[in-house]
């Protein structure tokens, strides 16, 4: 049930931060002996200054852009907690204005 919560959270973020007509791609593949799930969007992206803080509790990028979308800034810290509890890794790559890719490896 925690894994469902994890992936719902990540897909929810991709939907929230991707404008209409954007694309969200989910993929699952094997890399070495690991399973990798990727959630990739063509949304508004995240700046390099914000990237290191995304897993901090209550951290939200540019309050003005996200306030109308709701959210508490807790989502990604909970995601990281769930991934670590399953001995996995979570990595976020993003470019402002281009999109975001979250990769979860177990
Ligand atoms: P929130 O509840 O604010 O969505 P999260 O912890 O899930 O909190 O995310 C922290 C911040 O990271 C968000 O406020 C948002 O600005 C940014 N963010 C998360 N996912 C994405 C994404 N896919 N694209 C762009 N920004 C994102």
């Amino acid at each position: 049930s925690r894994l469902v919560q994890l992936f719902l959270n990540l897909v929810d973020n991709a939907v929230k931060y991707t404008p209409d007509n954007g694309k969200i791609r989910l993929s699952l593949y094997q890399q070495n002996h690991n399973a990798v799930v990727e959630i990739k969007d063509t949304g508004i992206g995240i700046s390099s200054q914000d990237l290191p803080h995304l897993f901090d509790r209550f951290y939200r990028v540019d309050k003005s852009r996200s306030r109308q979308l709701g959210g508490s800034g807790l989502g990604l810290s909970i995601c990281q907690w769930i991934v670590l509890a399953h001995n996995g890794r979570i990595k976020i790559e993003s470019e402002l204005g281009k999109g975001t890719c979250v990769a979860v490896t177990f």
Side-chain angles (χ1 to χ4, degrees), residues 88-102:
R89 286 191 306 275
I90 180 167
K91 191 177 78 180
I92 302 183
E93 285 173 354
S94 190
E95 208 179 317
L96 209 51
K98 291 228 162 130
T100 301
C101 181
V102 183

Side-chain angles (χ1 to χ4, degrees), residues 49-50 53-54 56-61 63 72-74:
Q49 293 104 289
D50 289 309
H53 304 289
L54 290 181
D56 297 351
R57 277 185 291 169
F58 305 114
Y59 190 83
R60 305 197 72 207
V61 176
K63 321 295 173 270
S72 59
L74 268 175

Side-chain angles (χ1 to χ4, degrees), residues 10-105:
L10 295 176
V11 172
D12 187 55
N13 275 349
V15 172
K16 262 197 323 205
Y17 299 110
T18 301
D20 289 351
N21 301 319
K23 286 198 174 121
I24 297 166
R25 184 157 74 190
L26 309 185
S27 34
L28 167 66
Y29 59 91
Q30 190 177 334
Q31 192 173 60
N32 305 318
H33 291 291
N34 297 317
V36 184
V37 180
E38 259 179 24
I39 297 102
K40 192 171 183 174
D41 68 59
T42 60
I44 59 177
I46 300 158
S47 74
S48 50
Q49 293 104 289
D50 289 309
L51 270 178
H53 304 289
L54 290 181
F55 296 116
D56 297 351
R57 277 185 291 169
F58 305 114
Y59 190 83
R60 305 197 72 207
V61 176
D62 180 4
K63 321 295 173 270
S64 62
R65 76 173 188 170
S66 22
R67 185 167 294 140
Q68 76 249 34
L69 297 168
S72 59
L74 268 175
L76 285 175
S77 68
I78 294 170
C79 287
Q80 187 187 45
W81 171 77
I82 295 170
V83 171
L84 294 178
H86 291 81
N87 294 317
R89 286 191 306 275
I90 180 167
K91 191 177 78 180
I92 302 183
E93 285 173 354
S94 190
E95 208 179 317
L96 209 51
K98 291 228 162 130
T100 301
C101 181
V102 183
V104 178
T105 305

